């Protein structure tokens, strides 16, 4: 077996297959995608109806989305994972309000879509719990993101971010 990095469960399906004794049994097949596809830059889209969605609504959507792993396979499972990640991204971006949740500096630039550029960072390993729980995802600047992953003080920076997010989340 080879370690290929972290994977996230996008969905699952049932399959009937023979076991070692040749008896038919039902197997659960998990649809896994590399976690790196989840840790992508936040691309917040303007809501289609053009109206602003308030933070608590975004938060509820993100929490609901994070809780559900659908019974789905293949493309549908991936689509569903993308929708779930998108709900979490929108919320954490709104929560950050254009300011890095790690260093408190304004986002380094504005994207073509007119949004402050921040990146979602999972403060816990995805295997430790709900993959996209917004209480464990921060919106941070690229510099902080790199430092957390590669810096000599990355661990303590990550711990501080966890505390910051916890404070914000208990406030809402
Ligand atoms: Zn930062």
């Amino acid at each position: 077996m080879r370690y290929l990095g972290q994977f996230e469960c996008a969905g699952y399906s049932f399959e009937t297959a023979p076991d070692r004794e040749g008896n038919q049994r039902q197997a659960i097949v998990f649809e896994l995608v590399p976690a790196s596809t989840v840790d992508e830059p936040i691309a917040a889209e303007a809501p289609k109806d053009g109206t602003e969605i308030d933070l608590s609504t975004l938060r509820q959507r993100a929490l609901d989305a994070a809780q559900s792993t659908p019974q789905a396979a293949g493309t549908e499972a991936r689509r569903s994972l993308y929708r779930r990640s998108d709900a979490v991204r929108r919320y954490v971006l709104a929560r950050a309000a254009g300011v890095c949740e790690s260093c408190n500096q304004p986002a380094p630039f504005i994207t073509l879509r007119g949004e402050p550029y921040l990146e979602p960072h999972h403060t816990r390993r995805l295997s430790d719990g709900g993959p996209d729980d917004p209480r464990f995802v921060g919106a941070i600047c690229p510099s902080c993101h790199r430092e957390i992953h590669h810096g000599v003080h990355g661990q303590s920076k990550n711990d501080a971010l966890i505390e910051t997010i916890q404070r914000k989340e208990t406030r809402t």
Side-chain angles (χ1 to χ4, degrees):
M1 209 196 256
R2 194 155 67 91
Y3 181 72
L4 295 169
Q6 291 183 27
F7 282 76
E8 176 161 359
C9 181
Y12 65 94
S13 55
F14 292 101
E15 203 171 81
T16 309
D19 64 16
R20 262 181 244 169
E21 279 83 45
N23 301 311
Q24 290 293 317
R25 53 139 181 83
Q26 216 171 42
I28 302 179
V29 180
F30 292 102
E31 190 79 31
L32 299 178
V33 296
S36 57
T37 60
V38 180
D39 223 17
E40 279 166 1
I42 295 174
E45 285 173 57
K48 289 198 174 65
D49 56 6
T51 52
E52 284 288 313
I53 306 169
D54 66 277
L55 190 60
S56 61
T57 305
L58 287 172
R59 181 172 193 267
Q60 197 51 53
R61 283 184 191 176
L63 287 169
D64 291 347
Q67 271 171 5
S68 61
T69 297
Q71 189 179 330
T75 313
E76 182 45 38
R78 277 155 203 271
R79 253 190 228 125
S80 148
L81 174 65
Y82 181 76
R83 277 197 301 273
R84 277 179 283 152
S85 302
D86 193 53
V88 174
R89 281 173 197 181
R90 282 179 190 227
Y91 167 63
V92 297
L93 187 66
R95 186 184 65 198
V99 173
C100 171
E101 291 187 309
S102 181
C103 67
N104 278 315
Q105 295 299 305
F109 59 88
I110 301 295
T111 67
L112 289 168
R113 284 175 171 162
E115 296 278 349
Y117 180 87
L118 293 170
E119 298 175 351
H121 166 66
H122 293 80
T123 57
R124 304 187 301 180
R125 286 174 308 154
L126 294 175
S127 52
D128 287 346
D132 252 341
D133 190 317
R135 290 166 292 193
F136 298 100
V137 180
I140 60 177
C141 72
S143 173
C144 285
H145 205 182
R146 295 287 166 101
E147 187 179 348
I148 285 175
H149 282 293
H150 306 291
V152 67
H153 301 303
Q155 184 64 55
S156 58
K157 202 171 165 70
N158 191 55
D159 291 344
L161 178 60
I162 290 171
E163 275 180 36
T164 301
I165 295 171
Q166 255 165 14
R167 267 202 309 279
K168 286 183 163 191
E169 288 292 325
T170 46
R171 211 176 47 199
T172 42

